[in-house]
Amino acid sequence: MVKYKWVMKMLNNTIGKNIRRVREINDMNQEEVAAQLNIRRQTLSAYETGRSVPNIYILLELASFFRVSIEDLTRNVKL
């Protein structure tokens, strides 16, 4: 169980960093992105900081909105 939590934390941090990176590349703030996705700014902040992970539907919306692949949002590589 401990290993699973470590993997999930790493994945949350990776996804969050990638969401933030792609948002900043597009010169948008959290409020603008949240409004476009119809989510709260606090929810987006939780994704970006790794406190929460978006479900697959939100990941699809983020990928479509920023015109990147889901793999780009989930991989541990620089965008």
Side-chain angles (χ1 to χ4, degrees):
M1 186 61 118
V2 173
K3 187 175 185 179
Y4 174 76
K5 286 183 180 182
W6 178 82
V7 170
M8 287 306 297
K9 182 175 173 119
M10 185 178 75
L11 181 60
N12 289 2
N13 288 338
T14 298
I15 292 171
K17 287 177 186 176
N18 288 341
I19 292 170
R20 181 176 180 172
R21 189 174 297 119
V22 74
R23 176 179 60 78
E24 290 174 346
I25 287 170
N26 285 277
D27 196 30
M28 297 182 78
N29 63 39
Q30 288 180 342
E31 195 69 45
E32 293 168 324
V33 174
Q36 290 293 318
L37 298 177
N38 200 29
I39 61 174
R40 295 176 354 143
R41 186 209 52 82
Q42 293 87 343
T43 301
L44 183 60
S45 175
Y47 296 157
E48 290 186 3
T49 59
R51 290 178 287 140
S52 179
V53 63
N55 66 39
I56 188 64
Y57 302 107
I58 298 294
L59 276 176
L60 284 167
E61 287 185 44
L62 283 162
S64 175
F65 179 72
F66 288 119
R67 296 185 177 148
V68 297
S69 69
I70 289 181
E71 289 82 12
D72 289 335
L73 293 176
T74 58
R75 288 187 301 178
N76 194 16
V77 295
K78 294 215 179 212
L79 295 174

